[in-house]
Amino acid sequence: MSLIKKLVEQLKSKEFREYLMSTHFWGPVANWGIPLAAIADTRKDPRFISGKMTFALTLYSLMFMRFAWRVQPRNMLLFACHLTNECAQLTQGARFINYHYIQGPETEKQNAQEKEKEK
């Protein structure tokens, strides 16, 4: 019970209220839209992935992970956001490379034709 009491006291503290009203908190919260969109895009057809944008977002997240780590005090919420985006963008990049350079659109057409034959 004392653990819950400590948590409630921490949430009521002036420092926590100030943190909730800071850009140190709301900046990362607003940034979460980027990795969430990238994760949602992993279910979409890989032919719609932009290789240039995926590469740009990969570099963007790497730079902001470094920034979040180096800024004082460290912004772990921002770091987690960009780490998640980095993983999502790398996944998208792998899908892009697989579709355009390894598997190719022709293989996709063959798979679709085989599925039609099975029906």
Side-chain angles (χ1 to χ4, degrees), residues 33-119:
I34 298 169
L36 293 175
I39 291 168
D41 285 348
T42 60
R43 297 186 178 269
K44 294 182 180 173
D45 195 323
R47 69 180 156 185
F48 298 116
I49 299 171
S50 167
K52 290 178 183 179
M53 183 55 91
T54 300
F55 181 68
L57 286 170
T58 301
L59 292 179
Y60 164 81
S61 281
L62 279 173
M63 289 187 299
F64 271 91
M65 278 193 308
R66 183 182 184 280
F67 170 80
W69 188 259
R70 300 285 301 193
V71 70
Q72 291 299 321
R74 285 190 176 145
N75 194 334
M76 297 310 288
L77 186 56
L78 184 64
F79 185 85
C81 171
H82 285 289
L83 178 64
T84 303
N85 190 46
E86 186 68 23
C87 294
Q89 295 302 330
L90 290 173
T91 299
Q92 289 292 79
R95 292 179 69 224
F96 176 83
I97 291 168
N98 184 48
Y99 179 78
H100 289 283
Y101 299 105
I102 298 172
Q103 180 185 11
E106 289 78 28
T107 307
E108 182 181 309
K109 289 177 187 175
Q110 291 172 353
N111 291 341
Q113 289 172 353
E114 289 174 9
K115 286 182 184 178
E116 287 295 320
K117 289 178 184 177
E118 289 176 3
K119 291 181 179 180

Side-chain angles (χ1 to χ4, degrees), residues 2-48:
S2 66
L3 183 62
I4 293 172
K5 189 175 180 178
K6 283 183 180 181
L7 179 62
V8 170
E9 287 176 17
Q10 177 69 26
L11 293 175
K12 288 181 177 180
S13 72
K14 182 181 179 196
E15 292 83 15
F16 186 73
R17 286 192 313 269
E18 287 176 358
Y19 173 68
L20 284 180
M21 297 302 142
S22 72
T23 57
H24 211 72
F25 174 75
W26 287 107
V29 168
N31 264 317
W32 272 100
I34 298 169
L36 293 175
I39 291 168
D41 285 348
T42 60
R43 297 186 178 269
K44 294 182 180 173
D45 195 323
R47 69 180 156 185
F48 298 116

